[in-house]
Amino acid sequence: MSKIGIFFGSSSGTTEEIASKIASRLGVATGDVHNVADADAAELANYDVLLLGSSTWGMGDLQDDWESFLPNAKEQNLAGKKVALFGCGDSSSYSDTFCDALATIKEELSSTGCSFIGTIPAEGYNFDESRCQEGDQLIGVLLDEVNESGESDERIDIWVDAVKKAI
């Protein structure tokens, strides 16, 4: 079985809560769930599957702790690793940059040799624009815990199923 590591950045605790929900659904031990504020990017090497989560701030900005972690992650050899993305944003106030931090992570890691998994249908989402949308698919699970929290559990379940099928 593939070893899964979850790495997240969370300013207000919401993305951390989502990371815990995902860990529970996938049976990932708490020792394999890492806050990027305290993690060393070299730890990415310990896993076959990386679940990376970030909240999006302002006009599509990465969560602060990812600003220092991502350049180090980009230097790692992630060849053969599968990467899935999850994140939080505000689909109402920032409807044109919803969860764009995930697209930044994907763009930055695309040259590391990893492959991205966990795309899900964009159907049912309410935002104007997101760099996370590719055709009718999203590059990961996008969550709005402020305006659409009632949708989160179902969206996480759909994404977790997609991740399981890909690993």
Side-chain angles (χ1 to χ4, degrees):
M1 175 146 172
S2 299
K3 183 157 174 137
I4 300 172
I6 300 175
F7 291 80
F8 69 89
S10 186
S11 296
S12 65
T14 304
T15 308
E16 182 172 11
E17 289 174 19
I18 299 300
S20 293
K21 283 184 180 185
I22 291 168
S24 175
R25 283 176 169 89
L26 288 168
V28 176
T30 56
D32 294 318
V33 180
H34 308 273
N35 187 330
V36 297
D38 307 318
D40 182 339
E43 292 177 270
L44 297 170
N46 298 331
Y47 302 98
D48 306 307
V49 178
L50 303 170
L51 308 183
L52 308 180
S54 178
S55 48
T56 298
W57 293 89
M59 298 301 295
D61 299 329
L62 278 171
Q63 188 271 344
D64 290 344
D65 299 316
W66 275 102
E67 293 287 345
S68 57
F69 186 83
L70 190 55
N72 295 326
K74 186 178 175 178
E75 293 176 3
Q76 305 302 309
N77 177 4
L78 303 180
K81 298 195 182 298
K82 295 180 179 182
V83 175
L85 304 168
F86 67 96
C88 300
D90 184 331
S91 65
S92 179
S93 298
Y94 296 97
S95 185
D96 59 344
T97 58
F98 182 53
C99 289
D100 278 359
L102 300 183
T104 299
I105 292 171
K106 182 178 181 183
E107 290 163 4
E108 291 294 314
L109 296 182
S110 64
S111 64
T112 64
C114 67
S115 60
F116 291 92
I117 62 170
T119 60
I120 61 171
E123 182 181 339
Y125 277 83
N126 298 306
F127 58 86
D128 292 326
E129 190 174 329
S130 175
R131 291 177 28 233
C132 295
Q133 185 167 355
E134 297 176 349
D136 63 352
Q137 297 286 302
L138 299 173
I139 63 173
V141 64
L142 284 53
L143 304 169
D144 182 342
E145 290 293 283
V146 174
N147 303 296
E148 298 180 347
S149 61
E151 305 292 328
S152 293
D153 283 337
E154 182 180 357
R155 289 174 176 171
I156 291 169
D157 288 341
I158 290 168
W159 179 76
V160 164
D161 286 344
V163 169
K164 284 180 179 178
K165 288 177 185 168
I167 58 174

